[in-house]
Amino acid sequence: MQHDNYVIDDMISAKAIAARVESMAMEIRNHFKGSEKLVVIGLLRGSFMFIADLVRELDLPVEVDFLETSSYGDSMESSREVRILKDLRGEIEGRDILVVEDIVDTGHTLHHVLHLLESRKPARMMVCALLDKPSRREVEVKADIVGFEIEDKFVVGYGIDYAQRNRNLPFIGSVRFTD
Ligand code: IMP
Ligand code: MG
């Protein structure tokens, strides 16, 4: 796909994503089997497509809530300073929670968010990330379930943006600059 000064190379097909989401959902279902109080928490905005597909595969009574943290702006570099732009609407004390993130990169965002959520005393917490770039990690943090481990490339699609564009691609691709 041709853009102003970059192209997007195919990385993970829509079909491969769908298959992996299904298997992740099975793991999550088994983990929370019998739970009557699960809240699925999507980290905006990158996780919106992933969470939509994931909850449809979860045969459990779930509530859905969202949390938004400050983002990269239009740059490709992590700001490292994480701020909450939009907090959850509901209480999570005593609830089971599943945190849904698009990518774990330096780890700063997830580290900050998990610290905040833990302080609210949920019953059980599970963290699921569609993508993980372990080679980029700056703070130690680990998702319980990772969809795909990827190398250090800037990716877009399936909810994930570059300067707010390309979220609507049904697959995941990597950005390659042409000039
Ligand atoms: P971290 O705080 O460095 O781990 O970054 C986490 C957030 O940065 C992710 O939730 C994404 O929203 C964004 N991010 C990290 N890597 C990429 C990428 O390759 N493409 C687009 N956004 C990314
Ligand atoms: Mg994100």
Side-chain angles (χ1 to χ4, degrees):
M1 200 171 299
Q2 182 68 52
H3 287 261
D4 301 341
N5 64 337
Y6 64 95
V7 292
I8 296 171
D9 297 322
D10 289 354
M11 188 185 239
I12 307 171
S13 70
K15 209 171 156 191
I17 296 169
R20 186 68 187 112
V21 169
E22 197 183 325
S23 66
M24 292 170 95
M26 199 189 300
E27 238 185 281
I28 294 162
R29 234 163 33 216
N30 289 337
H31 184 84
F32 287 115
K33 198 158 34 199
S35 173
E36 291 287 331
K37 51 181 183 181
L38 180 62
V39 186
V40 182
I41 299 173
L43 305 190
L44 292 173
R45 284 173 259 174
S47 72
F48 80 92
M49 209 173 275
F50 179 36
I51 195 174
D53 285 343
L54 192 64
V55 293
R56 276 181 281 190
E57 298 285 341
L58 285 181
D59 188 15
L60 290 169
V62 300
E63 288 179 24
V64 176
D65 207 340
F66 294 97
L67 186 75
E68 184 173 12
T69 56
S70 51
S71 72
Y72 287 14
D74 284 353
S75 99
M76 285 177 152
E77 270 303 304
S78 172
S79 58
R80 292 185 178 81
E81 184 196 300
V82 182
R83 286 174 302 120
I84 303 297
L85 300 180
K86 184 212 165 292
D87 205 341
L88 299 176
R89 290 292 296 272
E91 304 286 336
I92 55 166
E93 184 171 347
R95 309 287 304 266
D96 290 330
I97 64 173
L98 173 71
V99 180
V100 179
E101 172 63 311
D102 55 353
I103 312 181
V104 188
D105 188 37
T106 64
H108 288 281
T109 305
L110 195 58
H111 183 261
H112 184 91
V113 165
L114 296 186
H115 198 256
L116 174 76
L117 296 178
E118 268 164 5
S119 74
R120 297 179 182 176
K121 311 246 183 307
R124 284 182 288 177
M125 177 163 89
M126 188 179 208
V127 182
C128 145
L130 181 65
L131 304 174
D132 187 9
K133 293 193 239 179
S135 66
R136 296 258 306 161
R137 205 70 94 249
E138 291 177 7
V139 289
E140 210 184 298
V141 66
K142 216 173 168 305
D144 299 302
I145 310 182
V146 168
F148 302 92
E149 257 190 29
I150 59 170
E151 50 181 312
D152 181 9
K153 285 195 171 154
F154 197 85
V155 296
V156 292
Y158 196 65
I160 301 164
D161 73 302
Y162 169 43
Q164 297 310 325
R165 299 283 294 273
N166 305 300
R167 291 191 195 274
N168 56 327
L169 295 176
F171 61 93
I172 290 167
S174 61
V175 172
R176 178 164 48 87
F177 287 93
T178 49
D179 57 13

